[in-house]
C-alpha cells in the first residue's frame, strides 16, 4: 500500500513538472526576430482558452514565466509576447524607460507587436475568439492598448500598468473588450488625473470595466523581485499579489468560454 501511495505522489509531482515546462517560440516582425515563450496545459486539447501575457519594461522575465506556468496549470494556453525583439532587450532601468516610452508613444507599433503575439498564441492552440490579454507595468499599458486598438480579445487586464491615453483617441465610440485594472493605491506613477481620465475614457467608450485599488500597495506589487520597501516606489505586496491573482481567476472564468 505504501509503495502505491509513493507511486501516486510521484505521478502528481511528474504532472506538475509537465505543467512547468516552457517552450521558446521564434517568430518575426519583418526582419526583426522575436522570441516569445509558450506554456501549454498538460492535458492536450484541440483548442483551449488563451491568455497572452505582456511582460514588464525589461522584457520577458521570471515573474511573467511563473505566471504563465501557473495559468497553464489551470488549463489555459499561454503565450508571453516579445515586444522589443532579439538584440533589443534593455540592460538597465534607464534603457528600459527609454524603449518602453517609445512604444507607449508609438502605440500603433505596440499594438502590432501585440497582434503578432496573438497570432502565435492562436497558432499554438488557443481558440481565436476566446482570449484575454494581461500585462504587468509596461505590459499593463499594452493590455489597455490591445483594447483601444480593438484587437480580437475578449478581455484586457492591467496589473499596476500606466493608464494614460493620447488625447486623439479619447473620443472613440466603443471598447468591446471587458477591461479590468489592478492598481496599487499608493502607486505614485499613476496620478489622480490619470485615474479620472481613464474613467472618462471607459465611459466614453461604453466599456464594461472595473478599477480596483489595493491598499498599501505601490508599483510592481505583484513582483517578488521588487523588494519590500514601499518608500522606493516599487515593492512586492504579498496580500495584493494574491488577491489580484484571485480576482484575475474570477475574471477569466467570467470572460472565457
Amino acid at each position: 500500500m505504501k509503495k502505491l501511495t509513493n507511486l501516486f505522489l510521484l505521478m502528481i509531482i511528474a504532472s506538475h513538472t509537465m505543467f512547468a515546462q516552457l517552450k521558446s517560440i521564434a517568430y518575426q516582425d519583418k526582419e526583426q526576430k522575436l522570441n516569445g515563450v509558450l506554456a501549454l496545459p498538460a492535458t492536450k486539447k484541440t483548442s483551449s482558452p488563451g491568455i497572452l501575457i505582456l511582460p514588464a519594461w525589461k522584457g520577458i522575465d521570471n515573474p511573467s514565466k511563473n505566471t504563465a506556468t501557473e495559468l497553464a496549470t489551470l488549463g489555459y494556453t499561454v503565450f508571453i509576447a516579445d515586444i522589443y525583439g532579439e538584440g533589443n532587450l534593455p540592460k538597465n532601468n534607464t534603457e528600459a524607460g527609454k524603449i518602453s516610452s517609445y512604444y507607449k508613444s508609438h502605440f500603433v507599433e505596440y499594438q502590432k507587436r501585440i497582434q503578432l503575439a496573438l497570432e502565435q498564441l492562436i497558432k499554438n492552440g488557443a481558440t481565436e475568439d476566446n482570449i484575454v490579454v494581461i500585462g504587468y507595468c509596461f505590459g499593463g499599458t499594452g493590455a489597455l492598448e490591445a483594447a483601444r486598438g480593438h484587437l480580437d480579445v475578449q478581455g484586457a487586464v492591467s496589473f499596476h500598468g500606466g493608464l494614460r491615453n493620447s488625447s486623439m483617441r479619447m473620443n472613440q465610440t466603443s471598447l468591446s473588450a471587458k477591461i479590468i485594472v489592478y492598481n496599487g493605491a499608493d502607486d505614485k506613477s499613476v496620478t489622480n488625473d490619470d485615474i479620472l481620465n481613464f474613467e472618462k475614457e471607459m465611459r466614453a467608450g461604453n466599456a464594461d470595466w472595473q478599477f480596483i485599488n489595493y491598499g498599501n500597495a505601490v508599483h510592481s506589487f505583484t513582483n517578488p523581485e521588487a523588494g519590500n520597501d514601499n518608500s522606493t516606489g516599487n515593492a512586492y505586496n504579498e496580500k495584493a499579489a494574491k488577491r489580484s491573482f484571485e480576482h484575475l481567476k474570477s475574471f477569466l472564468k467570467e470572460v472565457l468560454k
Side-chain angles (χ1 to χ4, degrees), residues 235-251:
Y236 177 63
N237 183 303
E238 184 178 8
K239 287 182 179 178
K242 289 182 176 179
R243 288 169 180 170
S244 61
F245 192 75
E246 288 303 313
H247 288 152
L248 171 66
K249 290 193 290 185
S250 177
F251 181 76

Side-chain angles (χ1 to χ4, degrees), residues 36-201:
V37 175
L38 177 71
L40 295 173
T43 304
K44 192 173 182 180
K45 302 176 182 178
T46 304
S47 61
S48 63
I51 299 175
L52 178 66
I53 296 178
L54 306 178
W57 68 346
K58 285 189 176 179
I60 296 174
D61 52 15
N62 289 328
S64 61
K65 291 178 182 178
N66 292 337
T67 299
T69 300
E70 190 162 359
L71 290 171
T73 68
L74 299 176
Y76 300 105
T77 297
V78 187
F79 189 75
I80 310 174
D82 178 8
I83 300 301
Y84 301 147
E86 186 170 279
N88 299 318
L89 287 179
K91 299 180 181 65
N92 51 50
N93 289 347
T94 300
E95 290 185 8
K98 184 176 180 180
I99 190 170
S100 62
S101 294
Y102 172 84
Y103 280 98
K104 287 178 184 178
S105 60
H106 294 76
F107 57 85
V108 174
E109 293 182 41
Y110 198 178
Q111 290 166 351
K112 181 184 178 184
R113 289 284 168 90
I114 297 169
Q115 177 59 39
L116 290 171
L118 280 172
E119 291 168 6
Q120 290 299 314
L121 176 61
I122 294 165
K123 181 179 178 181
N124 284 282
T127 307
E128 186 171 1
D129 60 350
N130 203 24
I131 293 172
V132 163
V133 56
I134 71 174
Y136 296 84
C137 301
F138 166 61
T141 303
L144 297 180
E145 287 300 338
R148 289 166 177 151
H150 300 283
L151 304 190
D152 191 10
V153 296
Q154 281 54 62
V157 181
S158 172
F159 288 85
H160 42 80
L163 306 177
R164 294 174 191 169
N165 189 357
S166 62
S167 59
M168 71 181 71
R169 295 180 293 158
M170 286 296 287
N171 296 319
Q172 59 182 317
T173 56
S174 65
L175 290 164
S176 57
K178 293 178 172 62
I179 296 170
I180 190 163
V181 171
Y182 304 126
N183 184 66
D186 297 330
D187 187 344
K188 301 302 183 185
S189 68
V190 177
T191 67
N192 288 332
D193 282 344
D194 290 338
I195 295 172
L196 289 173
N197 287 330
F198 172 77
E199 291 177 353
K200 289 178 183 178
E201 178 189 3

Side-chain angles (χ1 to χ4, degrees), residues 25-35 112-113 116 119-120:
I25 301 290
Y27 57 115
Q28 296 286 141
D29 181 2
K30 296 182 180 178
E31 292 79 22
Q32 177 63 61
K33 183 181 179 183
L34 305 168
N35 297 297
K112 181 184 178 184
R113 289 284 168 90
L116 290 171
E119 291 168 6
Q120 290 299 314

